[in-house]
Amino acid sequence: MAYDLEEQEQIANFKAFWARFGNIIMGVLIVALLSYAGYNFWNTHKRNQTVEASALYDELQAALAANDNAKTQRIAGDIQNKYAGTTYAQMAALGAAKTAFEANDLKTAKTQLQWAADHGNDEYKAIAKLRLAGVLLDEKSYDAALKLLNDTYPAQFSAEVSDRKGDVLVAQNKLAEARQAYVAALAAMHKENPGRQLVQVKLEAIGGTVPAEAKDAKANA
């Protein structure tokens, strides 16, 4: 009988607990289940997006190899419109910018590079801005190019940014500043960087002197 009374007391306590907190517990469980279902749906959606974007990017690569600028632009636009959140969209923008530039379609090249600069991750943004500065240099939009180069870049792009600044400053005939930019580029470059020799040539061509440490790096490379 003592066991029955204890069991009845436990049942009564559970009923009282459930009457007080049951709705809250059910609400939390429902939210958790919905969150889990949403998480699985989102992951599946992302995987599908990546697979579909990859297939389109393969088509874009073929168009690039064929130097088909019109087809490249069309495919890049599809990837950007449908799969903007994937890395393939950023790569497509850079590839489309390259074919546009080679086709002398600078307007489209700038548009594609600006898209990558606006939507890419830090690395792709930096690459896009550097290339866009190069297009602006070709257009003799020097102030716009320098403004872009004075933007924030990841540390690993310091050498490329300084090198491109030097090119723009040379075009403006600001040789003293250009020399400083090239020296900064050399200072930021790894000793095995294949671009070192070109920067040194550009620096010496405008009357600059290659720093001793840069010469040592070249000799030891």
Side-chain angles (χ1 to χ4, degrees):
M1 181 63 70
Y3 176 78
D4 292 340
L5 288 175
E6 181 179 350
E7 187 178 56
Q8 290 175 11
E9 184 178 356
Q10 290 175 346
I11 293 172
N13 288 338
F14 176 77
K15 286 182 177 179
F17 173 82
W18 189 257
R20 184 175 180 184
F21 299 109
N23 288 339
I24 297 175
I25 293 172
M26 288 301 296
V28 170
L29 286 174
I30 290 171
V31 170
L33 288 172
L34 288 175
S35 297
Y36 180 71
Y39 174 77
N40 283 338
F41 172 80
W42 177 244
N43 279 341
T44 301
H45 176 69
K46 286 181 68 177
R47 284 196 296 271
N48 291 340
Q49 288 257 304
T50 299
V51 170
E52 292 168 6
S54 175
L56 270 179
Y57 188 73
D58 287 342
E59 294 182 28
L60 184 139
Q61 289 286 83
L64 286 171
N67 292 319
D68 189 336
N69 183 46
K71 187 175 182 179
T72 297
Q73 302 307 323
R74 185 174 66 253
I75 297 172
D78 287 343
I79 296 174
Q80 291 159 6
N81 291 330
K82 298 177 182 178
Y83 312 105
T86 67
T87 303
Y88 291 106
Q90 304 167 46
M91 295 190 296
L94 294 180
K98 181 177 182 294
T99 58
F101 182 81
E102 291 174 349
N104 202 33
D105 183 0
L106 298 186
K107 181 179 179 180
T108 300
K110 289 193 295 183
T111 298
Q112 291 289 0
L113 291 171
Q114 189 62 59
W115 193 96
D118 291 338
H119 297 86
N121 60 24
D122 288 346
E123 182 176 351
Y124 280 104
K125 283 182 179 179
I127 294 171
K129 288 191 293 185
L130 279 166
R131 292 183 183 178
L132 181 54
V135 175
L136 292 170
L137 171 59
D138 287 343
E139 291 186 327
K140 300 183 179 180
S141 299
Y142 305 132
D143 291 338
L146 285 176
K147 181 179 179 181
L148 194 60
L149 292 168
N150 285 328
D151 204 348
T152 300
Y153 288 80
Q156 65 266 32
F157 290 92
S158 296
E160 288 80 1
V161 172
S162 294
D163 182 26
R164 186 56 53 84
K165 280 183 181 179
D167 295 343
V168 177
L169 291 165
V170 168
Q172 291 181 302
N173 203 33
K174 298 179 179 178
L175 301 187
E177 294 176 56
R179 286 192 286 268
Q180 292 176 357
Y182 288 141
V183 168
L186 288 171
M189 280 185 179
H190 190 274
K191 66 179 182 179
E192 296 179 358
N193 189 318
R196 290 186 67 89
Q197 186 172 357
L198 177 58
V199 176
Q200 291 178 21
V201 168
K202 290 191 289 187
L203 174 59
E204 291 173 337
I206 59 172
T209 302
V210 178
E213 58 270 21
K215 291 181 179 179
D216 292 342
K218 180 181 177 181
N220 296 327

